[in-house]
Amino acid sequence: MSRVLQERALLRCGAGFSFIELMFTLAIMAILALVAVPMVQHSIARNKEFALRNGLQEIRSAIDAYKRASEQGSILRKEGDTPFPKQLEELVTGVPDQRNPNKSNIQFLRRIPRDPFAPEAASAADSWGKRSSTSAPSSPEEGEDIFDVYSRSSKIGLNGVPLNQW
């Protein structure tokens, strides 16, 4: 019986948290959330920019390898054709090796990376902006070949440079 009386006495003496203590705890949690949310958003943006930089580097390296193979005579070109691929898909599907016809196609990419800033509805190849070898660097336009790729996003990167100028 004495134990029950002790518990009732504790309840009457205010053994719970006061309203001020609860508000103080909520204020600390709100401050922590205000600090954590921008850090998470910055981390997500940094990861997407890292994926963009890697995707651009991967595709550009494959285009350069295609050009070298074309100039060395491994890829059949018609008169007047540029040494660049006509479509990004050619880098994945490959082209016949003219120097070694018994060998399978020369492939330059395993897959086309997606532009992480493009809408999800677009295919990987369509997510990139494409620049023809005949267009000016300041105003890239698509044409008969693919000289370079760029992001179509109009966002500004964390480094202050627009993503479509990377």
Side-chain angles (χ1 to χ4, degrees):
M1 189 78 150
S2 66
R3 187 171 209 188
V4 174
L5 291 174
Q6 286 176 348
E7 288 177 6
R8 285 185 183 169
L10 282 175
L11 288 175
R12 277 186 254 146
C13 292
F17 295 108
S18 70
F19 182 72
I20 293 176
E21 291 170 329
L22 289 174
M23 292 306 291
F24 184 72
T25 304
L26 286 174
I28 290 174
M29 291 182 71
I31 290 170
L32 289 174
L34 286 173
V35 170
V37 168
M39 288 177 61
V40 168
Q41 290 173 339
H42 183 77
S43 175
I44 291 170
R46 188 176 60 235
N47 289 341
K48 286 178 92 172
E49 287 185 13
F50 181 76
L52 174 65
R53 185 171 283 117
N54 283 345
L56 287 170
Q57 182 179 13
E58 191 175 344
I59 294 173
R60 288 172 175 164
S61 295
I63 290 171
D64 290 343
Y66 186 100
K67 180 180 183 274
R68 275 191 305 277
S70 180
E71 289 173 342
Q72 293 170 355
S74 295
I75 298 174
L76 179 65
R77 278 194 299 171
K78 296 176 185 170
E79 187 69 32
D81 278 354
T82 64
F84 299 104
K86 304 273 185 235
Q87 299 175 345
L88 283 179
E89 289 82 0
E90 285 182 35
L91 301 173
V92 176
T93 58
V95 291
D97 188 353
Q98 298 301 311
R99 290 183 148 188
N100 190 358
N102 298 333
K103 194 176 178 185
S104 63
N105 286 353
I106 306 172
Q107 289 181 289
F108 302 95
L109 283 176
R110 290 185 183 198
R111 64 169 181 77
I112 299 171
R114 284 188 56 76
D115 179 356
F117 291 94
E120 291 296 322
S123 69
D126 292 335
S127 66
W128 298 100
K130 299 160 191 82
R131 181 178 150 223
S132 172
S133 61
T134 58
S135 71
S138 58
S139 60
E141 295 177 4
E142 289 190 35
E144 293 185 15
D145 62 1
I146 298 175
F147 173 74
D148 194 16
V149 292
Y150 60 91
S151 177
R152 293 181 180 175
S153 176
S154 59
K155 293 182 180 180
I156 305 294
L158 295 174
N159 59 0
V161 178
L163 298 177
N164 56 13
Q165 293 180 9
W166 286 19

